[in-house]
Amino acid sequence: MATGNPDWIRLDKALSIEADKGCTNLQGNQYQFNEFLCLNFGQSPPTGTPTSDRRKWQNFAAQYADYSNLSVAQRKTLISQTRQFLYELRKTLETPRELPPPKLPKTTAITDKKASLRPVTLDQSLNNLAEVGYKRGELLKRLGLHTVKDILFYYPRDHIDYARQVAISNLVAGETVTIVGTVKRCNCFTSPKNKKLSIFELILRDHTGHIKLNRFFAGTRFTSRGWQERQKRIYPLGSIVAASGLVKQNRYGITLDNPEIEVLDSVGSSIESLKIGRVLPVYPLTEGVGADLIRKAIIASLEAIKQIRDPLPRVLREQYGLMGLKDAIGNIHFPETPELLAHARRRLVFDEFFYLQLGFLQRRQEQKQVHNSAVFTPQGKLIKQFDDILPFKLTNAQQRVINEILEDLNSVTPMNRLVQGDVGAGKTIVAVFAILAALQSGYQAALMAPTEVLAEQHYRKFIPWFNQLYLPVELLTGSTKKAKREEIHRQLQTGELPLLVGTHALIQDPVNFQKLGLVVIDEQHRFGVQQRAKLLAKGKSPHVLTMTATPIPRTLALTLHGDLDVSQIDELPPGRQAIQTTVLTGKERTQAYDLIRREVAQGRQVYIIFPMIEESEKLDVKAAVEEHKKLSEKVFPDFKIGLLHGRMSSTAKDEVLTAFRDNEYQIIVSTTVIEVGVDVPNATIMLIENAERFGLSQLHQLRGRVGRGSHKSYCLLMSSSKTPDVRQRLTVLEQSQDGFFISEMDLRFRGPGTVLGTRQSGLPDFALASLVEDQEVLELARLAAEKIIVADQTLGSLPSLKKELETRYKKLMGGEILT
């Protein structure tokens, strides 16, 4: 028998048989009963035996040596005491004790341990780091990471909190944790169902229970017996192991999903892993660049953090409670606690917002010092005449915004103003006043819209007004005939044509204005930065008026238009009534069709909209065409139904819309091409199919196509989705008609990129900042930037800050202006 490792089963069996046979000191194959006991108790007690039990163990050896001199009663008592002692000792030794928590790693400890003999500098190439090397350094360049500074400022996109150690019995599905336990069993074998899959099993036990962990290795190299045996030798029975991962509940119980595992040197020793027992950074990756490579490169670079200089003045950091930049960089990668991570993230998010706002405000100040724009007369013949022919009274909000615009135009500093207004708020009228101010001052104006439908709608609105003022206006789109296009070009150059309305054709064509003084851009977020800049370049510092019918929350406005003056038309014209909005399921379709029949019977008209299928415009068109056929032949055979989709020619679209306006079609089936630019006061129902596939702001835009007349209007949102989130989103439309509130909710539900619709929206790429979660930090950063610009517009007294601004602002904005 091995020293310190008794054969519990043979001992218990010998004692049991001796007791059953009357304590006669039975003769075994080799020894008598008392001799066998003397041999066992004569050896050292098992490893881990408490001191008091070690004495008892030795006493039993002496008592069994005298066993033959004891009476039967004394023998029975001794055997009973021995069995009880062995039972309790075995229970003590085999029941896991609560293990002290391992010493979790600290960022500073990692830095000190991994620091190379040669000092690491911020400008040093990653290829030159011993831990990275040339080959892996070349891989990191795929992420734009060339130097030590690059990788230190390459922030994690997320963090997984493995720093919290819990007992096995306290594991809760969905949490990320670290457990520490003793290995009770380890096995590694090839899956019987898949010969290319190796399964690693580990059973850990702590003082509260046990858990089975699995890892799976795909590939024939993992199915070799040698590899599997090596895995088992890494985790010997009785060794102490730390494991981190996401807690999952499966049919076999609680486990950790694909855990990270490390064998500890001893109870309470430090965890050496870069993953286990810490708040683990998760980085954006690309093909060929794994997370471990980035973590190793960052750890090798941490030493250089002490060389970073903080551009933010100490007074500003203290005023806003911001962590120092060095500490923030260290703790964003390898935070010592979740609290330090939160402080680090807040500081770095502040930086992202702050430099953007500082750049906006500095540019705004520079714009105000430009004094070469045309000065327009705010009061003049054309504006007075237009005011007189308007058949309605302007709202207070419209008049306020017009006054703000005319004041801007009466200055040598170029206007740069955004007008936000809800659907039907009357932005077009406001734009006309600005255009007339330019025209009566001897300048030309251009209005650019993102789609032909919207450009045509503006053109149609302008024609009756401008005819009464005896002013020519033309439309230039991709569908404009060659002869007409050339005539427009000629009239612009001679100055005969004062106003041109168009689409991207305004910047794609060789369009040359004689004297461009005002640029109006509608739904400006749909244009790319360069597209807007090209139009502005056709004049000499022209005044710029941008408009959007998609109201955006203040956080988005500050991020997109921080250098603009923003006006809001926050009042609808009188007579615009609320549109009754209802979310319907497929089972309630009959009710929707009944309402449509009733409205059409009273002479009203209806829109039926289908969502755009982004993957394929062909499918988008096919769905609309098939539904149009079904509705025409089976559902509403007595009504005339028009069809409108994005693949139709501009002429065909125009014919359908004109027929709908003239009530030749009672129903129009359309894709989202109908979203803007269609004004049919007689339309009272907007039925939107698969409403869950639209954003709230887009649904609100579509809803705005009805309710433009005096009749009660309805918006029906058909959705077959049973997801609670979908129902919650669509309920917002049922409860609110306020575009600004709806946009705020859309931002929270879907995020800014989706709300704005395209990646050309000019939205900066933030590494950490979230416009939804970090609104308070954005407001703080704006306030701090305003204070600094007021104190020193050129930042001459803050050279470090000025240099950082130049680098950051260009990077955030892609080197392009926004407006």
Side-chain angles (χ1 to χ4, degrees), residues 768-811:
L768 290 175
S770 162
L771 294 177
V772 177
E773 298 172 5
D774 300 314
Q775 296 189 20
E776 175 262 336
V777 183
L778 173 57
E779 298 282 355
L780 210 63
R782 176 73 174 192
L783 184 63
E786 285 174 345
K787 287 183 177 179
I788 283 184
I789 288 294
V790 168
D792 183 359
Q793 180 192 324
T794 64
L795 305 179
S797 62
L798 299 165
S800 297
L801 191 64
K802 184 176 182 178
K803 184 178 179 181
E804 187 71 12
L805 170 62
E806 290 171 358
T807 304
R808 294 261 194 158
Y809 188 67
K810 279 183 181 177
K811 190 174 180 181

Side-chain angles (χ1 to χ4, degrees), residues 236-257:
L237 298 186
S239 60
I240 308 300
V241 164
S244 295
L246 174 68
V247 183
K248 289 191 112 177
Q249 174 82 50
N250 60 29
R251 58 181 176 173
Y252 302 112
I254 286 282
T255 187
L256 298 185
D257 184 44

Side-chain angles (χ1 to χ4, degrees), residues 177-227:
V177 298
T178 292
I179 58 173
V180 175
T182 304
V183 175
K184 303 310 293 180
R185 193 176 82 196
C186 181
N187 197 13
C188 192
F189 57 92
T190 301
S191 168
K193 295 182 179 179
N194 184 348
K195 297 303 179 184
K196 294 183 179 180
L197 181 68
S198 184
I199 302 174
F200 172 79
E201 288 183 349
L202 191 68
I203 295 181
L204 298 183
R205 188 176 187 88
D206 69 5
H207 68 290
T208 67
H210 69 275
I211 187 171
K212 181 180 177 183
L213 305 179
N214 287 106
R215 295 197 70 178
F216 301 92
F217 300 88
T220 52
R221 68 190 182 97
F222 300 116
T223 57
S224 74
R225 196 68 200 147
W227 184 88

